[in-house]
């Protein structure tokens, strides 16, 4: 027994032992105090989802709730330190009061309430420390509409010999959201002003979509969404050239008056190799078919089409070709209808052996031309494929009209067909 007391005395006689023992006793005391209900602390719980629900009657009426999806709240709670250390946002529920009133289109400001949402109960919610204390939402029917994206990107260049072309990666966008908000949108655009580009350069940037009203003013519509986020705009700085416009002719006489085009020239921009390949600096925009031209003043409008990668930059989208044929005369000639079908293989019976053909030309030639100067040949190319032997086929065949060599300054007006019964032998 004496030895045991001696050991115990020696144990407590060391300073290090006493320090360790003091630390352990202090920790136990701190733990007991921390767990006691009388020792409370405050803590703020953040990122608590806010729950707002539409009444069933509103849903049945096709209404939707906007502005509630990403709402988060924070609230202060009070309790002992250990309990507070275990609390998370899922232990608290934040809901909206008066949500049952949301039964028609409009904006609603609702007060929020926080309450316990788990088995952890050894804490209290400081309700006046709920932030935000209200939530503003919007109720309306859903509407979806497709818009063509309006390109309102301007590029400022100091060099007049070059032009900036802007190409968008998307041409259409689908907009969805509250019906009353979507109805305010007159257009969806990309709007920007680009500077600092030089000749023969290219730049690609991402542009945000902007909602515009009827006056071109920007609209702030946070509840309206688009099916695409941004649009990629590719800006190409291209060389500029002025080109003449021309038209081809078809079925034309040997000689005819000059064709005038309005406008006679346009300014275009495009890759240098494309501009270099424009022969004689002239662009063909279409063809005048003389079978459609009367002996009078004739106008025909053509869209201006350019080589790939080029565009008109002077504003024109079409041009008009004019030819004055008022000085020419017209007559009708009964031409004999013939065919080049092999008579040893086919029998052809025409509904009419003559075709009334309108011929236009100079006065002296029109007065002289006769039936013998006009040839009308029925063209059965491709029309008799699969015809049965000894079986008659009723066919409407086009007529190929040609004039004698003395009448090369005349032209045939109109197109003609002939009805025939053809039997394969």
């Amino acid at each position: 027994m004496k030895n045991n007391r001696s050991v115990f005395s020696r144990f407590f006689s060391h300073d290090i032992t006493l320090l360790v023992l003091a630390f352990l006793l202090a920790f136990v005391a701190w733990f007991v105090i921390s767990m006691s209900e009388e020792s409370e602390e405050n803590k703020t719980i953040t990122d608590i989802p806010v729950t707002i629900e539409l009444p069933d009657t509103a849903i049945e009426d096709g209404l939707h709730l906007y502005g509630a999806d990403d709402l988060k709240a924070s609230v202060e709670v009070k309790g002992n330190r250990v309990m507070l250390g275990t609390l998370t946002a899922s232990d608290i529920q934040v809901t909206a009061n008066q949500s049952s009133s949301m039964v028609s289109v409009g904006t609603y400001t609702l007060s929020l309430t926080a309450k316990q949402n788990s088995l952890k109960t050894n804490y209290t919610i400081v309700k006046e420390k709920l932030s935000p204390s209200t939530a503003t939402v919007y109720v309306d029917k859903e509407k979806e509409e497709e818009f063509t994206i309006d390109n309102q990107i301007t590029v400022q260049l100091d060099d007049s010999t070059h032009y900036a072309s802007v190409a968008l990666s998307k041409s259409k966008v689908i907009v969805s959201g509250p019906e009353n908000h979507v109805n305010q949108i007159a257009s969806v655009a990309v709007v920007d002003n680009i500077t600092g580009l030089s000749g023969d350069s290219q730049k690609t940037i991402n542009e945000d979509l902007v909602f515009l009203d009827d006056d071109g003013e920007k609209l702030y519509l946070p509840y309206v969404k688009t099916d695409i986020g941004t649009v990629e705009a590719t800006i190409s700085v291209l060389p500029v050239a002025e080109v003449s416009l021309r038209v081809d002719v078809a079925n034309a006489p040997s000689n005819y008056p000059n064709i005038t085009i309005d406008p006679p020239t346009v300014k275009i921009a495009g890759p240098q190799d494309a501009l270099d390949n424009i022969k004689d600096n002239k662009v063909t925009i279409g063809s005048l078919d003389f079978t459609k031209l009367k002996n009078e003043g004739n106008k025909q409008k053509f869209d201006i089409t350019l080589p790939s990668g080029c565009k008109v930059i002077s504003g024109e989208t079409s041009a008009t070709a004019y030819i004055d044929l008022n000085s020419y005369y017209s007559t009708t000639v009964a031409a004999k209808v013939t065919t080049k079908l092999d008579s040893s293989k086919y029998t052809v019976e025409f509904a009419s052996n003559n075709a009334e053909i309108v011929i236009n030309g100079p006065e002296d030639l029109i007065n002289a031309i006769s039936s013998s100067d006009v040839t009308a040949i029925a063209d059965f190319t491709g029309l008799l494929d699969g015809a049965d032997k000894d079986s008659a086929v009723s066919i409407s065949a086009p007529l190929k009209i040609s004039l004698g060599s003395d009448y090369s300054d005349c032209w045939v007006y109109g197109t003609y067909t002939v009805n025939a019964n053809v039997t394969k032998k």
Side-chain angles (χ1 to χ4, degrees):
M1 189 72 176
K2 181 179 180 180
N3 291 335
N4 289 339
R5 284 197 298 270
S6 177
V7 171
F8 188 76
S9 299
R10 286 198 302 270
F11 178 79
F12 282 99
S13 65
H14 294 289
D15 293 339
I16 294 177
T17 302
L18 292 174
L19 286 173
V20 171
L21 183 59
F23 175 80
L24 290 174
L25 291 173
F27 177 79
V28 171
W30 169 83
F31 183 79
V32 170
I33 293 172
S34 296
M35 289 300 293
S36 68
E37 293 185 357
E38 296 179 357
S39 176
E40 290 187 331
E41 291 187 359
N42 287 18
K43 179 182 179 180
T44 299
I45 307 298
T46 61
D47 293 327
I48 306 169
V50 177
T51 301
I52 304 177
E53 296 181 350
L54 274 177
D56 291 340
T57 54
I59 296 174
E60 291 169 0
D61 289 339
L63 296 176
H64 292 255
L65 182 64
Y66 299 94
D69 291 342
D70 300 319
L71 284 178
K72 302 285 185 181
S74 63
V75 69
E76 191 173 295
V77 295
K78 181 185 292 186
N80 68 70
R81 181 179 300 177
V82 174
M83 174 57 70
L84 295 187
T86 67
L87 289 180
T88 64
S90 62
D91 295 313
I92 298 174
Q93 183 182 45
V94 176
T95 57
N97 301 319
Q98 305 96 32
S99 61
S100 60
S101 64
M102 299 187 298
V103 293
S104 60
V105 175
T107 301
Y108 295 85
T109 299
L110 308 173
S111 61
L112 300 180
T113 300
K115 63 180 181 179
Q116 296 176 346
N117 191 42
S118 69
L119 297 176
K120 302 173 184 177
T121 59
N122 194 22
Y123 68 96
T124 57
I125 295 174
V126 184
K127 294 183 178 181
E128 61 271 19
K129 294 292 186 176
L130 175 62
S131 178
S133 59
T134 62
T136 300
V137 295
Y138 185 72
V139 175
D140 199 352
K141 290 184 177 181
E142 180 90 1
K143 182 176 181 180
E144 182 176 285
E145 187 173 346
E146 184 178 65
F147 289 84
T148 297
I149 300 174
D150 185 12
N151 185 353
Q152 294 191 17
I153 297 177
T154 58
V155 183
Q156 296 182 8
L157 297 176
D158 295 331
D159 184 2
S160 61
T161 63
H162 285 78
Y163 170 83
S165 172
V166 181
L168 302 181
S169 60
K170 301 286 185 181
S171 61
K172 304 281 187 180
V173 60
I174 296 176
V175 170
S176 60
E179 183 177 42
N180 283 290
H181 292 186
V182 173
N183 288 340
Q184 296 178 42
I185 301 173
S187 64
V188 182
V190 286
V191 182
D192 205 346
N193 183 34
I194 308 297
T195 59
L197 296 180
S198 57
D200 300 326
S201 64
Q202 190 175 81
K203 181 179 182 180
T204 299
I205 53 177
N206 286 321
E207 294 284 355
D208 292 326
L209 294 168
V210 177
F211 304 134
L212 302 178
D213 63 14
D214 289 325
D215 297 323
E217 298 295 326
K218 291 183 180 180
L219 295 167
Y220 176 68
L221 302 173
Y223 304 142
V224 177
K225 308 299 180 185
T226 59
D227 66 331
I228 54 177
T230 59
V231 176
E232 193 175 80
T234 300
I235 304 165
S236 302
V237 181
L238 304 170
V240 172
E242 186 171 30
V243 296
S244 300
L245 302 181
R246 63 176 300 276
V247 293
D248 286 330
V249 294
N251 303 302
S254 297
N255 297 290
Y256 51 85
N258 289 333
I259 299 171
T260 59
I261 298 177
D262 182 30
T265 63
V266 293
K267 281 188 176 182
I268 68 172
Q272 190 62 58
D273 56 348
L275 298 181
D276 291 341
N277 286 331
I278 297 176
K279 188 176 180 180
D280 299 327
N281 215 37
K282 294 180 179 180
V283 173
T284 301
I285 58 173
S287 177
L288 279 177
D289 186 352
F290 269 72
T291 63
K292 299 177 181 179
L293 302 182
K294 295 182 178 181
N295 56 323
E296 59 187 25
N298 293 270
K299 289 183 179 182
Q300 189 168 341
K301 189 175 181 180
F302 296 92
D303 291 332
I304 299 175
T305 56
L306 298 175
S308 177
C310 297
K311 67 175 294 183
V312 177
I313 63 172
S314 48
E316 302 87 353
T317 59
S318 62
T320 300
Y322 176 78
I323 183 169
D324 185 0
L325 300 175
N326 280 295
S327 63
Y328 290 82
Y329 288 75
S330 180
T331 189
T332 300
V333 177
K336 183 179 180 180
V337 178
T338 62
T339 179
K340 290 185 177 181
L341 279 179
D342 189 343
S343 60
S344 66
K345 295 181 180 180
Y346 296 94
T347 299
V348 180
E349 294 182 357
F350 293 112
S352 175
N353 290 320
N354 293 300
E356 299 292 320
I357 310 299
V358 177
I359 309 296
N360 295 327
E363 182 180 14
D364 58 334
L365 296 181
I366 291 300
N367 290 334
I369 197 167
S370 65
S371 298
S372 61
D373 300 311
V374 183
T375 302
I377 300 175
D379 183 7
F380 293 100
T381 303
L383 299 178
L384 299 174
D385 296 344
D388 296 328
K389 186 176 181 181
D390 298 327
S391 178
V393 179
S394 296
I395 294 174
S396 178
L399 288 176
K400 289 186 174 181
I401 312 298
S402 58
L403 306 179
S405 59
D406 292 337
Y407 298 92
S408 61
D409 284 343
C410 298
W411 75 92
V412 176
Y413 173 75
T415 57
Y416 302 88
T417 59
V418 63
N419 295 324
N421 289 326
V422 180
T423 302
K424 186 176 182 180
K425 294 181 179 180

